[in-house]
Amino acid sequence: MNLETSGRMFYRLFLAILLFHLQVGGNYFGTNSRKDDQCFCKLKGSIDDCTCNIDTVDYFNNMRIYPRIQSLLVRDYFRFYKVNLKQECPFWADDSKCAIRYCHVLPCQDDDIPEGLKGEIPRNIHLNESPVDKYRANSQITDCRHSAKDHNIELGFLNTTISSENYKEFERWQQHDDAQDNFCVKESSPGEYVDLLLNPERYTGYKGFSAHRIWRNIYMENCFRPENSPHIFIQSSKMNGMCLEKRVFYRVISGLHASINIHLCSKYLLGPQSGLQISDNQWGPNLDELQRRFSPETTGGEGPNWLKNLYFTYLLQLRALAKAAPYLEREEYYTGNEMDDEDTRLAMNDILNVVKSFPEHFNETVMFTGGTEAQLLKEEFRQHFINISRIMDCVGCDKCKLWGKLQIHGLGTALKILFSGKFDKWEPTLNNLNRKLFFLERSEIVALVNAFGRLSESIFELDRFRRMMR
């Protein structure tokens, strides 16, 4: 056999081996083209009930939003969140307290909390009014109390004092008025501060009946559902039979659920239980777990739709930030450290400018139009979400409860901004009788920005999982 004949035989053998690998879907050159083409998390096309597409959001978030939001959330104003983790479950006996050590939450000691966060700032000195308005208002009050020419001396001066009992009654009235616009239940006690950076959201091992009961109750009892839909998740083929408002509610909850699952998969406890040979106490991405939670084969074909709902929820919260931007740009972000507070204001205004530049925001104005029936649906929408906020007190894992309450609180704040009507027109004057229209508590702002940050990180992590699959 000469050298030329031997070379031809080797070439044919090489082609045969290569053809065999391609036919069985092998990975001869270190890639798997079939798997890459059919990657369930390689989403394309438009986002349901929105005008923009997946690629637009991916680029906008990963290039422009994600780096900014990550640097913002490490600042003191946003890293400390006040929460009550001891609130009793209002729906069933709390018999599912998680004993796993990773479920534990480490609360802040008094010395850890910035000085400016320790005291409550009264509503009447909220910093969304300009200093000029404040001084003008104060001077008017002074003139009113001490100028004798405005009063009949024989009748005496008007009694301008208000008893402490009346103030308490006014506060109850105010709380009642505010409650009519809130999408989350107000906690009965203030709770305690938690440093979110020291208690990151990640997989803790909390699962089984208790965790499933939470999500089953949310979907089956509190989400709008089409008739004859016995499954916990609504099939995408049945979504078109629902009105826009009910579809939005389901997609918002589904998108939040998808986001939380991605967080758990990207910061999974790597060890014997995950099948990965990593020493204990290390968290990292678990691609197998992501595939189990979202691949079409394990989800009846619905996993990619759940991931699309993540993008929908992201766009809804993005729109809420844009709508509240005139208000948020005037917030002081006060912690007591003047230099850090100024940096936080600059960083917040920077990200708000980027948010406002997005060309295809979610359009909330097409919802709840149509008179009395639409308003009844809007109230039902609000009550359903309030109920979901109550369910968060039934979560058995404290760390899961912390992040569940925070993200529901943030999403509820976004819904309040979009649908309460109080942010539709902004008038930054203290003398305006409707000043309270634009009031957000500090906890609402912290929850709103942190919840958006979790959605932003989910979209960023999803892209990292795509690269891992390739």
Side-chain angles (χ1 to χ4, degrees):
M1 183 183 296
N2 58 33
L3 183 62
E4 182 179 355
T5 303
S6 175
R8 283 198 300 269
M9 290 181 64
F10 175 80
Y11 180 68
R12 288 170 184 161
L13 179 62
F14 172 78
L15 288 178
I17 294 172
L18 176 60
L19 180 61
F20 171 77
H21 276 275
L22 292 176
Q23 288 174 337
V24 300
N27 197 13
Y28 191 75
F29 289 110
T31 62
N32 190 330
S33 60
R34 184 181 70 174
K35 188 173 183 179
D36 189 44
D37 292 341
Q38 298 179 0
C39 173
F40 66 88
C41 60
K42 180 63 176 176
L43 305 173
K44 296 180 180 179
S46 62
I47 301 168
D48 295 326
D49 291 321
C50 294
T51 58
C52 64
N53 58 43
I54 296 289
D55 291 338
T56 302
V57 177
D58 275 335
Y59 178 82
F60 179 77
N61 177 74
N62 297 345
M63 295 294 104
R64 304 193 65 191
I65 291 292
Y66 180 75
R68 287 176 168 88
I69 197 74
Q70 290 299 307
S71 65
L72 185 67
L73 293 178
V74 300
R75 299 186 176 277
D76 282 354
Y77 185 88
F78 293 104
R79 67 183 286 188
F80 293 99
Y81 179 62
K82 204 168 192 179
V83 62
N84 180 10
L85 298 177
K86 297 180 174 62
Q87 194 104 337
E88 292 186 2
C89 172
F91 300 109
W92 55 77
D94 190 9
D95 55 356
S96 56
K97 192 69 173 177
C98 179
I100 303 172
R101 56 176 169 156
Y102 305 117
C103 289
H104 177 66
V105 168
L106 182 65
C108 292
Q109 301 298 317
D110 188 66
D111 293 342
D112 301 327
I113 305 169
E115 285 297 324
L117 303 185
K118 292 180 181 180
E120 297 294 332
I121 300 178
R123 294 176 65 98
N124 61 346
I125 62 166
H126 195 254
L127 295 168
N128 267 274
E129 285 72 17
S130 68
V132 174
D133 290 327
K134 292 177 186 176
Y135 293 135
R136 183 182 299 131
N138 287 337
S139 65
Q140 290 172 349
I141 292 172
T142 302
D143 292 342
C144 181
R145 287 181 176 177
H146 299 290
S147 177
K149 68 181 180 180
D150 294 330
H151 303 286
N152 186 318
I153 298 178
E154 294 181 0
L155 297 177
F157 291 103
L158 293 175
N159 185 350
T160 59
T161 61
I162 300 176
S163 68
S164 59
E165 290 78 9
N166 283 334
Y167 269 118
K168 292 178 181 178
E169 189 65 26
F170 295 158
E171 185 66 25
R172 283 194 289 270
W173 293 352
Q174 185 66 64
Q175 290 173 357
H176 177 270
D177 291 342
D178 290 344
Q180 306 313 302
D181 301 306
N182 288 341
F183 282 74
C184 291
V185 65
K186 186 83 171 179
E187 293 188 328
S188 60
S189 64
E192 54 190 344
Y193 276 107
V194 172
D195 186 338
L196 298 175
L197 298 185
L198 297 181
N199 296 276
E201 183 184 22
R202 57 192 181 187
Y203 181 77
T204 64
Y206 175 64
K207 57 184 178 180
F209 173 76
S210 175
H212 292 158
R213 179 169 56 179
I214 297 294
W215 285 112
R216 177 173 292 277
N217 194 278
I218 288 174
Y219 281 109
M220 298 297 288
E221 303 291 336
N222 293 281
C223 278
F224 297 96
R225 307 180 64 81
E227 295 182 5
N228 302 321
S229 179
H231 303 291
I232 182 173
F233 304 115
I234 301 174
Q235 294 175 316
S236 56
S237 59
K238 295 184 178 181
M239 289 289 289
N240 291 332
M242 302 167 63
C243 69
L244 172 63
E245 290 82 0
K246 293 180 179 181
R247 292 200 307 268
V248 166
F249 193 99
Y250 177 81
R251 287 193 170 118
V252 162
I253 298 301
S254 175
L256 176 63
H257 192 186
S259 179
I260 291 173
N261 277 331
I262 293 172
H263 302 159
L264 304 185
C265 294
S266 63
K267 294 180 175 62
Y268 201 86
L269 180 59
L270 304 178
Q273 68 269 36
S274 65
L276 304 175
Q277 298 303 312
I278 306 292
S279 61
D280 197 12
N281 292 348
Q282 291 191 32
W283 280 264
N286 187 334
L287 182 57
D288 289 339
E289 185 66 18
L290 184 87
Q291 291 174 313
R292 185 184 72 79
R293 292 176 186 252
F294 291 108
S295 70
E297 292 78 13
T298 59
T299 61
E302 291 297 321
N305 294 319
W306 301 342
L307 292 174
K308 270 196 171 184
N309 290 336
L310 159 66
Y311 286 79
F312 179 87
T313 308
Y314 176 91
L315 288 175
L316 183 139
Q317 289 215 215
L318 187 75
R319 168 57 184 153
L321 283 169
K323 190 171 185 177
Y327 177 93
L328 295 171
E329 286 168 345
R330 295 176 66 89
E331 180 64 42
E332 288 291 322
Y333 303 102
Y334 178 75
T335 66
N337 186 315
E338 186 175 345
M339 186 176 297
D340 286 351
D341 293 349
E342 176 63 21
D343 289 343
T344 301
R345 286 191 290 272
L346 293 173
M348 188 65 182
N349 288 345
D350 175 54
I351 197 170
L352 287 173
N353 285 330
V354 174
V355 165
K356 290 186 292 184
S357 73
F358 189 73
E360 298 174 280
H361 278 290
F362 174 78
N363 183 11
E364 78 282 2
T365 63
V366 298
M367 294 177 60
F368 304 114
T369 59
T372 304
E373 186 175 347
Q375 293 307 307
L376 290 174
L377 178 59
K378 184 176 179 179
E379 179 59 20
E380 189 179 2
F381 188 105
R382 189 178 73 89
Q383 290 297 335
H384 278 231
F385 201 88
I386 286 177
N387 221 36
I388 291 175
S389 73
R390 290 191 179 103
I391 294 174
M392 291 300 102
D393 285 315
C394 302
V395 176
C397 163
D398 278 351
K399 188 166 289 182
C400 306
K401 181 187 292 187
L402 164 66
W403 286 98
K405 288 172 79 79
L406 182 143
Q407 289 173 87
I408 287 292
H409 192 187
L411 188 50
T413 302
L415 295 175
K416 174 182 177 178
I417 293 168
L418 294 178
F419 300 123
S420 70
K422 292 190 173 182
F423 289 80
D424 293 347
K425 185 179 180 182
W426 190 69
E427 298 177 2
T429 57
L430 183 67
N431 294 329
N432 178 16
L433 295 177
N434 293 324
R435 176 174 60 87
K436 70 183 184 65
L437 296 182
F438 308 102
F439 180 80
L440 286 177
E441 295 179 356
R442 177 188 173 273
S443 62
E444 290 178 306
I445 298 174
V446 172
L448 175 70
V449 175
N450 270 280
F452 180 67
R454 305 311 294 141
L455 294 169
S456 173
E457 183 168 333
S458 293
I459 291 176
F460 183 86
E461 290 292 340
L462 192 59
D463 190 61
R464 182 164 69 144
F465 277 119
R466 290 188 194 114
R467 293 195 298 271
M468 289 175 63
M469 294 188 72
R470 288 194 292 267

